[in-house]
Amino acid sequence: MKRKIAGGLLAVYAASTLLFSVFLPEGTSQNLTGADHSLSPSEFGVLCISTVYPGAVSDVSDSRDNEEAGADQASSGSEADEANQGKQTAGTTVREEEKPGPVVFGEDPAVLILHTHATETYLPADEGNYHSKKKENSVRDVGEVLAKSLEEEGISVVHDQTLHDSPSYSSSYSRSAETVKSLLHQYPTIRCVIDLHRDATDSEAPGATLSVGGKSCARYMYVVSTAVPNYKTNAKFISAMNDTAAENFSGFTGTVLERGYPYNQSLADRYLLVEFGNNRNDIADVRNTARIYGKILAQTLKAGY
């Protein structure tokens, strides 16, 4: 029976590919998340199969998405395990000729830290399905540690702690976008925006850690939007961040996850959505990550990236 179904699918695919290679006008496109993507005859054949046989082409659900994809807002809700989150890539090394000159920072703010999902918490704060309005043991707690680490390196910081996901989780990215726009207008010297989150898992296993400089640290991950005009700029900055981490901080680099939703990342050329650990990480390990990450970010910014 399975062979008959497979044979039928192949027949539909071959027929649709042949048909649309003849009749589909060149350059036909679909509008996906606000961007045009060329649709080849072969891709159209797959689309036909998925339409006739919805179960034939698997569709991985996006647990980060709690809003409709828009021009400047997307969702990144209750995060799932990395293995189910999509395409993961490693940052490419910045070539020698692309390296800029050093930058000296003064008292004006250079980094904005905020939290689209500000109620996310770590162990031991597991009540409320790992969400709380209290700052202790939350991503805001970690944001304060990150801000202090940057300031110790001479980088002035604005740390916004607005609860964009409370009382309503819906449209939290829309609300955080308004906060970012307002603060960028108020502080035009800001060079980098960090939307600090944590990942999430249903597992009862402890969150992954590794030793960096003798400290137990939670791992971290970048979520990069491919649906914004400045995607390459953001990706290049993350690549420089990972180069700094690899060279100077025992290879403490972040995994890169690319997604086709905006996450407000068009609002700045260095707009990082970074996830420190997950809900099963102990807050002490995540604070250690924040301290080291602040030094990685400071060195990268001072190098002129």
Side-chain angles (χ1 to χ4, degrees):
M1 183 63 181
K2 292 182 178 180
R3 291 183 177 179
K4 290 182 179 180
I5 293 175
L9 292 178
L10 289 173
V12 172
Y13 174 79
S16 58
T17 301
L18 177 61
L19 175 64
F20 288 100
S21 65
V22 175
F23 295 105
L24 186 67
E26 184 177 356
T28 298
S29 63
Q30 286 185 316
N31 188 272
L32 304 173
T33 64
D36 289 334
H37 300 271
S38 295
L39 190 66
S40 70
S42 177
E43 291 168 332
F44 205 98
V46 174
L47 179 62
C48 290
I49 290 178
S50 62
T51 302
V52 178
Y53 299 97
V57 181
S58 62
D59 181 19
V60 179
S61 62
D62 184 0
S63 63
R64 282 184 166 77
D65 303 328
N66 65 337
E67 298 185 12
E68 293 182 2
D72 275 315
Q73 61 271 353
S75 51
S76 173
S78 181
E79 287 84 355
D81 295 325
E82 282 186 21
N84 297 320
Q85 289 173 341
K87 178 182 178 184
Q88 298 183 31
T89 59
T92 56
T93 301
V94 178
R95 293 180 305 212
E96 189 69 31
E97 62 268 23
E98 294 177 340
K99 293 183 178 180
V103 175
V104 177
F105 290 89
E107 296 181 357
D108 294 327
V111 174
L112 167 61
I113 302 171
L114 77 149
H115 313 276
T116 293
H117 298 147
T119 65
E120 293 175 332
T121 61
Y122 302 90
L123 291 174
D126 59 353
E127 69 276 5
N129 195 25
Y130 297 94
H131 286 270
S132 174
K133 293 182 181 180
K134 297 178 182 179
K135 180 172 65 177
E136 187 178 11
N137 301 319
S138 74
V139 290
R140 286 162 286 147
D141 179 329
V142 176
E144 282 197 344
V145 177
L146 175 58
K148 183 178 179 181
S149 177
L150 285 164
E151 288 167 351
E152 288 173 350
E153 297 296 321
I155 305 291
S156 183
V157 178
V158 174
H159 182 202
D160 180 84
Q161 301 187 44
T162 303
L163 301 182
H164 297 107
D165 57 343
S166 179
S168 171
Y169 195 83
S170 176
S171 301
S172 49
Y173 273 91
S174 298
R175 290 191 287 274
S176 65
E178 293 306 312
T179 296
V180 173
K181 290 175 184 177
S182 175
L183 291 174
L184 289 179
H185 178 74
Q186 185 177 354
Y187 302 102
T189 56
I190 288 175
R191 291 173 56 87
C192 177
V193 178
I194 298 177
D195 189 359
L196 180 57
H197 295 245
R198 61 142 173 79
D199 201 357
T201 179
D202 293 331
S203 172
E204 293 297 314
T209 61
L210 70 166
S211 179
V212 182
K215 299 288 186 179
S216 177
C217 298
R219 295 182 180 275
Y220 65 97
M221 174 173 65
Y222 296 103
V223 181
V224 185
S225 171
T226 60
V228 294
N230 56 329
Y231 154 68
K232 290 185 178 180
T233 304
N234 282 332
K236 183 177 179 181
F237 184 62
I238 289 172
S239 177
M241 290 281 291
N242 274 343
D243 284 348
T244 300
E247 294 170 7
N248 304 317
F249 295 91
S250 305
F252 190 37
T253 58
T255 301
V256 180
L257 175 65
E258 295 187 346
R259 299 302 290 268
Y261 295 89
Y263 301 114
N264 297 332
Q265 290 179 19
S266 64
L267 298 178
D269 281 343
R270 301 172 188 84
Y271 199 116
L272 306 181
L273 194 167
V274 60
E275 298 179 346
F276 285 1
N278 64 37
N279 54 296
R280 295 296 300 170
N281 278 108
D282 189 275
I283 187 67
D285 294 333
V286 186
R287 288 171 182 155
N288 286 339
T289 298
R291 292 186 184 97
I292 296 175
Y293 188 83
K295 298 181 185 300
I296 295 171
L297 178 57
Q299 286 192 17
T300 306
L301 287 172
K302 288 178 179 179
Y305 290 102

